[in-house]
């Protein structure tokens, strides 16, 4: 087996023949196996003295900057809330969710006046074979439940965001520690 420091690659004479770079040095089968085992453990192979290959532990990546920590945590906070609310609304198609405000407005109008114009709610009730008043009551109950749940999740997100924003007045070390300790876990209200 041979190793070329200029290409940082191993070459086998039976496979590569005359295509082996001129700077290639001989490597014993034992050393080759040891180098590959070290590489499998996360080390990297680089040319050492006299061009011979050595396995080295790569340098640790630089610590993230304060701005990088802040941006990453902000995304984690936002995405966690979004994920929670998306999962809760997953039963409903996006286009159906776009009708929720109209359904609620029509349902409120029907609660105030059973003869109020409510084309969407009336169409849904007729198709379902359900009395319009019963559907209006269900729509408003669902609306109250969604407002409570989404308000709870949004409130949690904003509390995490407030904690994150409070790090702006801290020195870099305190800010980094505080940011890393923010663990945005979203829960539902107890009565949900």
């Amino acid at each position: 087996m041979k190793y070329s420091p200029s290409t940082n690659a191993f070459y086998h004479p039976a496979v590569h023949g005359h295509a082996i770079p001129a700077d290639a040095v001989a490597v014993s089968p034992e050393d080759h196996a040891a180098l590959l085992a070290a590489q499998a453990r996360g080390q990297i192979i680089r040319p050492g003295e006299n061009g011979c290959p050595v396995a080295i532990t790569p340098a640790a990546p630089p610590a993230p900057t304060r701005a990088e920590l802040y941006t990453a945590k902000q995304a984690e906070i936002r995405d966690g809330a979004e994920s929670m609310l998306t999962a809760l609304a997953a039963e409903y198609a996006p286009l159906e969710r776009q009708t929720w405000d109209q359904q609620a407005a029509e349902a409120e109008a029907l609660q105030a006046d059973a003869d109020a114009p409510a084309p969407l709610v009336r169409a849904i009730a007729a198709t379902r074979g359900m009395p319009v008043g019963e559907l209006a009551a269900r729509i408003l109950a669902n609306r109250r439940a969604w407002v409570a749940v989404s308000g709870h999740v949004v409130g949690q997100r904003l509390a995490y965001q407030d904690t994150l924003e409070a790090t702006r007045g801290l020195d870099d070390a305190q800010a980094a520690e505080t940011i890393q300790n923010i663990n945005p876990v979203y829960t539902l209200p107890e009565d949900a």
Side-chain angles (χ1 to χ4, degrees):
M1 184 65 59
K2 294 196 172 236
Y3 170 80
S4 168
S6 63
T7 62
N8 194 36
F10 291 100
Y11 296 88
H12 194 286
V15 174
H16 300 101
H18 297 295
I20 298 174
D23 66 346
V25 295
V27 177
S28 72
E30 296 80 17
D31 286 345
H32 181 247
L35 287 163
L36 293 180
Q39 187 177 40
R41 292 189 305 272
Q43 292 186 299
I44 56 175
I45 299 171
R46 291 286 182 256
E49 292 181 29
N50 300 325
C52 294
V54 294
I56 61 171
T57 301
T65 66
R66 180 180 183 155
E68 290 169 338
L69 287 172
Y70 188 96
T71 300
K73 189 58 71 171
Q74 189 170 45
E76 182 183 351
I77 290 168
R78 178 199 61 231
D79 295 349
E82 181 71 16
S83 177
M84 177 74 142
L85 292 174
T86 299
L88 292 170
E91 173 184 347
Y92 307 97
L95 291 175
E96 181 180 351
R97 288 194 302 267
Q98 290 177 17
T99 70
W100 284 2
D101 288 339
Q102 183 177 348
Q103 287 184 46
E106 289 183 13
E108 287 172 354
L110 287 166
Q111 292 284 305
D113 177 3
D115 294 325
L120 180 60
V121 172
R122 290 183 190 284
I124 295 169
T127 302
R128 290 181 72 178
M130 177 183 290
V132 172
E134 180 182 338
L135 178 59
R138 285 189 188 186
I139 289 169
L140 293 176
N142 286 343
R143 174 69 167 221
R144 284 189 298 274
W146 177 253
V147 166
V149 167
S150 62
H152 187 76
V153 172
V154 169
Q156 290 172 88
R157 186 195 69 76
L158 292 172
Y160 291 129
Q161 184 66 36
D162 290 344
T163 303
L164 180 62
E165 288 177 8
T167 65
R168 292 178 189 229
L170 303 176
D171 66 46
D172 286 349
Q174 289 175 315
E177 181 179 353
T178 301
I179 290 169
Q180 289 171 343
N181 287 332
I182 297 171
N183 184 23
V185 175
Y186 293 91
T187 61
L188 297 175
E190 291 183 21
D191 58 349

